[in-house]
Amino acid sequence: MSPIRIGIIGLSPGAWAANAHLPYLQSSGSKFKIVAVCNSSVESAAKSAKDLGLAEGVRTYGNVQDIADDKDVDLVVCTTRVDRHYTSILPSLKTGKDVFVEWPLGRNLEEAKELLNVAKQNNVKLTAVGLQGRFEATVETLKSVLSEGRIGKVLSTTITSQGVIGGPTESETQTYLTDRTHGASVLTIPTLHLLDTVLEVLGEFSSVQSLLSNQRPVVKIVQADGSVVKDNVEKTSPDHVMIQGTLKSGAVLSATVRGGAPFKGTPGLEWRIYGEKGEIRITGAHACIEIVGTTSFELHSFDTDEVENIELEKGTFAEMAPITRNVARIYEAIAAGDKSVLCDFKDAVERHEFIENVYDQNPSF
């Protein structure tokens, strides 16, 4: 079978695509071949292709229309920041190309809906969105443990976590996180990634209540070494997110995610699933399980009063770190045409509708 030819929009050394996508795409087992790169300029794309060791002959572009018009590109992969997703992939959708774009799909529900409609109008066969937490080993293991009835009927789940972003400082390379209208915040990125992962295991909401707060309306912009480059920068995005709701199964959910780092020396994530016969406790570094995985998985049996450490399912690409493994599993699902777990544009619009509902419940945002 010939490899699927991809064109990447937004590829540079040290950035997300290079760290999360390339290890699989450049591996011997990859079912894909990078044939084009599009950055802000042809020169930038050419430099990235060279620095990252891409094969000779990779075409380099500085305009997203060029990659959309390239007949040798089967799949366009967009890894730009969220406020550029819409303009980056719209031309490719209009030419009927398959598209894999990072989450969020767009800055807001309106952009997400339009991208879905354009994909439908142009008979795009495959759309994929990077909610890769659905493929995480923790999810695989939870599904298995719950299906075995180890804790009986699930009654509730409680999540407390930190989102890394949204603290007292923001990086000078991520100043867009301070502006709610750009579509990237503690709500839309770490919280939604985490909730999508949770709901993949426990099922969807039947009702939701929420509270958003911006407790740090002014932040500092810092360089990588921590030195301040700009002080007293206004922030309009939420840094505290509280979600409570009932799932379609009847279980209740409570999730709290705040910005910033966790308490020193403690896990940045604690996720409990409480059942009739036992309780599961999962810990991790922070809310982004899809990137860092989890650090412990324990099951307390009420019958024996013993706590058991559960080993995570190995699954495919177990030798890779979570940041790469879960993206690799998305690519494998795309190659196989397996949409059973994959998030497509329709699914993504539903997640954007959830975000819009949360904002509607918090009119100050």
Side-chain angles (χ1 to χ4, degrees):
M1 179 178 171
S2 300
I4 297 169
R5 301 167 300 177
I6 68 173
I8 301 179
I9 301 175
L11 178 66
S12 59
W16 172 255
N19 294 332
H21 291 245
L22 283 194
Y24 166 76
L25 293 174
Q26 292 182 312
S27 70
S28 59
S30 172
K31 297 178 175 65
F32 298 81
K33 179 182 179 182
I34 302 171
V35 299
V37 175
C38 180
N39 282 355
S40 57
S41 68
V42 172
E43 292 75 19
S44 170
K47 185 176 188 306
S48 291
K50 180 180 178 181
D51 292 348
L52 291 168
L54 300 189
E56 286 197 23
V58 169
R59 291 178 294 285
T60 52
Y61 300 120
N63 187 309
V64 292
Q65 187 62 54
D66 293 334
I67 208 166
D69 292 337
D70 189 331
K71 298 187 185 307
D72 290 327
V73 171
D74 303 312
L75 173 71
V76 171
V77 177
C78 178
T79 63
T80 63
R81 56 190 239 189
V82 59
D83 54 329
R84 297 170 181 167
H85 286 180
Y86 176 85
T87 54
S88 294
I89 65 175
L90 188 62
S92 292
L93 293 172
K94 287 183 175 179
T95 61
K97 280 191 175 4
D98 292 345
V99 171
F100 168 22
V101 59
E102 290 292 348
W103 170 264
L105 176 52
R107 290 185 304 129
N108 49 44
L109 177 60
E110 182 181 2
E111 283 192 355
K113 281 184 172 180
E114 184 170 349
L115 290 170
L116 172 60
N117 289 335
V118 172
K120 288 179 178 178
Q121 291 164 5
N122 291 278
N123 300 312
V124 174
K125 294 179 181 178
L126 183 140
T127 59
V129 179
L131 284 173
Q132 66 269 30
R134 301 177 177 197
F135 294 86
E136 163 56 25
T138 307
V139 170
E140 286 185 293
T141 309
L142 274 170
K143 287 180 176 180
S144 177
V145 169
L146 293 177
S147 68
E148 292 169 1
R150 297 283 302 278
I151 66 169
K153 179 183 178 182
V154 174
L155 304 178
S156 65
T157 188
T158 307
I159 306 119
T160 305
S161 190
Q162 283 73 55
V164 184
I165 62 174
T169 64
E170 292 294 357
S171 166
E172 65 177 341
T173 62
Q174 295 182 315
T175 56
Y176 64 95
L177 293 171
T178 62
D179 187 341
R180 174 252 199 264
T181 63
H182 286 166
S185 70
V186 171
L187 170 62
T188 62
I189 298 181
T191 301
L192 199 287
H193 268 288
L194 179 56
L195 283 176
D196 185 77
T197 303
V198 171
L199 298 179
E200 175 64 25
V201 176
L202 299 178
E204 298 295 322
F205 283 110
S206 60
S207 64
V208 176
Q209 292 181 316
S210 64
L211 175 65
L212 299 180
S213 183
N214 179 14
Q215 292 291 335
R216 294 184 184 274
V218 175
V219 296
K220 297 177 181 179
I221 304 301
V222 298
Q223 293 180 322
D225 62 3
S227 59
V228 177
V229 294
K230 194 171 184 180
D231 214 341
N232 298 319
V233 174
E234 181 184 4
K235 177 168 70 66
T236 59
S237 57
D239 49 37
H240 284 68
V241 181
M242 299 175 187
I243 306 289
Q244 291 188 319
T246 302
L247 304 180
K248 291 180 179 179
S249 66
V252 292
L253 176 149
S254 177
T256 301
V257 182
R258 68 158 172 81
F263 187 92
K264 187 174 182 179
T266 65
L269 166 73
E270 182 173 82
W271 175 13
R272 293 175 182 258
I273 303 174
Y274 180 68
E276 289 181 326
K277 300 194 304 183
E279 184 172 15
I280 293 168
R281 177 178 179 263
I282 295 169
T283 61
H286 52 69
C288 298
I289 297 175
E290 75 284 356
I291 297 175
V292 296
T294 53
T295 53
S296 72
F297 189 128
E298 300 170 299
L299 190 153
H300 175 209
S301 168
F302 298 160
D303 290 337
T304 65
D305 198 30
E306 292 182 352
V307 175
E308 177 186 356
N309 289 311
I310 306 293
E311 185 177 349
L312 295 183
E313 302 272 352
K314 296 296 183 185
T316 56
F317 307 107
E319 73 283 359
M320 292 181 174
I323 185 174
T324 300
R325 178 178 65 230
N326 295 323
V327 173
R329 290 177 174 180
I330 287 184
Y331 278 112
E332 288 284 301
I334 291 172
D338 182 0
K339 301 179 182 180
S340 60
V341 179
L342 194 68
C343 176
D344 61 14
F345 281 16
K346 180 177 179 294
D347 296 331
V349 165
E350 291 174 358
R351 293 293 183 242
H352 274 283
E353 288 172 342
F354 170 85
I355 292 169
E356 193 74 10
N357 180 39
V358 170
Y359 277 132
D360 287 346
Q361 292 179 6
N362 295 269
S364 62
F365 289 93

